[in-house]
Each structure stands twice: as structure tokens, then as C-alpha cells.
Amino acid sequence: MTMIGFAAALMRRADGGADASAIADAIIAAWQEIDGALSPIIGQRAVAALYLRGVALIGHDYPWLSGTHEDMATLQDREAMRSALAQQPGPEAAAGGGAALQAFFELLAGLIGLGLTQRLLGPILENLERSPTRNI
């Protein structure tokens, strides 16, 4: 399993007819789970720092995602993130959200190793893949 699974799960949502708002909700739910899984281990500020670094790394491809979180110290303020995602077309929101998750995964794996990263974040991918892909 790699973080590419996150991007693929999000693109399946877009291909299945989910609009940007529904995709944004799924991405925010994934970040909430990531924050919940990692904050007790590395702290909220470290989780936010990894997120911000990941967004900086993908900022040239998704500039609409870059400027919304410059002063964020934790992932607790998710409304700016959700708003930035929801304003994009569904496939673009899925691609940007997937890229941010992938960058985060790669940064975390570089710090704690691939195996531990997969164990910590694997259930989050499973939740994203199991949840509905169509708007109701």
C-alpha cells in the first residue's frame, strides 16, 4: 500500500460523480483521522508542520491549496482547507487533496519509515475506500 491509494480513492469519487464539496468532506475526514492517529504520537504541531511542508512541495501544481494555511499551527482549523478544496472542480479537488496526502505520507515515511507509516495510515485509506463514492 502506498499513499497513491489515497489519490486513486479520491479520483474514483470524482469519476463516480462526487462534486467538489463531497470530495472536500472526504479529504477533511481523512485529515481528521490522520491528526487523531498521529497527534498523540508526534504532537499536533508536528502533524501540522508535515502537512504544511507537503503543501509547500506541491504548491506549484496546486497554488490554490498553498496560501490557505500559512499560519496554521495545528490541523484543527480545517474550514480554510475545506473551502479551498470545495471551490475547485471535483477532479481538481481530488487531485490536489490526493497530492497533499501523498506528500504528507512521503515526508512521514522519510522520518519514521515506510512500514510504520503504512501501519499508522493504512486504516485511514481503508476508510476512504469503503465510504460512498457518489453524491446522494
Side-chain angles (χ1 to χ4, degrees):
M1 172 198 48
T2 66
M3 188 54 80
I4 294 169
F6 279 89
L10 292 168
M11 287 309 293
R12 279 192 297 277
R13 287 174 181 272
D15 292 344
D19 64 13
S21 180
I23 291 168
D25 288 343
I27 293 167
I28 294 302
W31 283 113
Q32 288 173 319
E33 289 184 70
I34 289 169
D35 192 35
L38 295 179
S39 288
I41 300 167
I42 64 173
Q44 286 183 327
R45 289 185 185 267
V47 173
L50 287 172
Y51 168 79
L52 291 171
R53 178 64 183 140
V55 168
L57 291 172
I58 64 164
H60 62 285
D61 291 327
Y62 305 99
W64 51 267
L65 200 55
S66 297
T68 57
H69 315 295
E70 292 171 356
D71 297 324
M72 190 170 68
T74 71
L75 287 179
Q76 296 302 310
D77 180 17
R78 296 178 187 97
E79 189 52 40
M81 185 188 322
R82 189 196 179 291
S83 177
L85 290 162
Q87 292 177 21
Q88 305 306 311
E92 182 70 7
L101 287 163
Q102 180 173 339
F104 183 90
F105 177 89
E106 291 171 0
L107 289 167
L108 184 63
L111 292 172
I112 66 172
L114 182 59
L116 183 54
T117 300
Q118 289 175 325
R119 278 184 284 190
L120 290 169
L121 300 184
I124 298 165
L125 174 58
E126 291 171 12
N127 288 343
L128 186 59
E129 289 177 334
R130 277 195 308 260
S131 59
T133 58
R134 291 197 175 269
N135 286 345
I136 297 176

